[in-house]
């Protein structure tokens, strides 16, 4: 599977707030949040779905991976999406292991697995907190 996605009964704002808290516990910060609905409507396009993209980064980890292979920068920062579908809030991300596997670098794949596990833990904690 390319992605990891879970569902929560929380609304978008609650889900994002709790996700930001769990990310901080793992030393990940949200660099910015991109509100796709707002941006498309600002451009005069019809789009009613709530859909936000959080760009997240752990600076120390980013430094390590970029020192190992600059091509990994194509996948940074990590993205976590929060959106509504069928009355439920979904939280998901592309798996770092799926992305980094394109570089065919065993050392980076192990590194990506660690990041992936930590981000999944953050997502899972935010769903229940």
């Amino acid at each position: 599977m390319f992605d990891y996605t879970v569902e929560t009964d929380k609304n978008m704002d609650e889900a994002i707030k709790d996700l930001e808290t769990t990310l901080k516990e793992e030393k990940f910060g949200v660099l910015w949040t991109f509100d796709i609905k707002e941006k498309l409507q600002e451009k005069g396009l019809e789009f009613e779905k709530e859909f936000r993209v959080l760009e997240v980064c752990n600076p120390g980890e980013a430094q390590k991976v970029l020192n190992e292979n600059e091509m990994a920068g194509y996948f940074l920062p990590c993205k976590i999406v929060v959106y509504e579908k069928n009355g439920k809030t979904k939280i998901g991300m592309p798996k770092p292991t799926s992305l980094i596997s394109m570089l065919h670098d065993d050392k980076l794949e192990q590194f990506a697995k660690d990041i992936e596990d930590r981000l999944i833990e953050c997502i899972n904690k935010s769903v229940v907190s």
Side-chain angles (χ1 to χ4, degrees):
M1 296 278 298
F2 166 79
D3 70 302
Y4 178 79
T5 305
V6 297
E7 187 175 279
T8 181
D9 291 326
K10 296 177 182 182
N11 67 39
M12 292 273 296
D13 292 328
E14 291 172 326
I16 290 171
K17 181 178 177 256
D18 290 345
L19 180 58
E20 288 173 337
T21 298
T22 63
L23 287 165
K24 281 182 189 175
E25 292 169 5
E26 283 291 326
K27 298 187 176 26
F28 285 90
V30 176
L31 301 174
W32 59 85
T33 301
F34 180 58
D35 186 329
I36 291 180
K37 175 184 172 180
E38 180 181 283
K39 184 54 77 176
L40 291 176
Q41 288 179 345
E42 177 184 300
K43 300 293 181 186
L45 300 169
E46 290 289 323
F47 192 79
E48 296 303 319
K49 297 177 184 179
E50 294 293 338
F51 199 104
R52 296 186 204 149
V53 179
L54 285 69
E55 300 270 345
V56 303
C57 182
N58 178 311
E61 304 292 5
Q63 178 192 30
K64 287 179 199 172
V65 74
L66 289 170
N67 280 336
E68 183 66 30
N69 187 329
E70 298 85 10
M71 295 295 290
Y74 284 53
F75 311 121
L76 298 178
C78 296
K79 290 177 177 35
I80 298 179
V81 297
V82 182
Y83 60 99
E84 289 182 354
K85 185 173 182 178
N86 300 324
K88 295 285 188 180
T89 301
K90 306 261 189 179
I91 304 171
M93 67 174 186
K95 289 182 175 179
T97 54
S98 294
L99 297 171
I100 216 80
S101 69
M102 291 185 262
L103 298 179
H104 307 290
D105 183 325
D106 291 338
K107 187 173 181 181
L108 281 182
E109 287 180 23
Q110 290 181 353
F111 183 79
K113 177 69 171 128
D114 175 60
I115 296 298
E116 181 176 301
D117 290 345
R118 290 166 56 198
L119 289 174
I120 286 173
E121 184 177 336
C122 290
I123 290 170
N124 289 343
K125 283 171 134 180
S126 73
V127 171
V128 296
S129 63

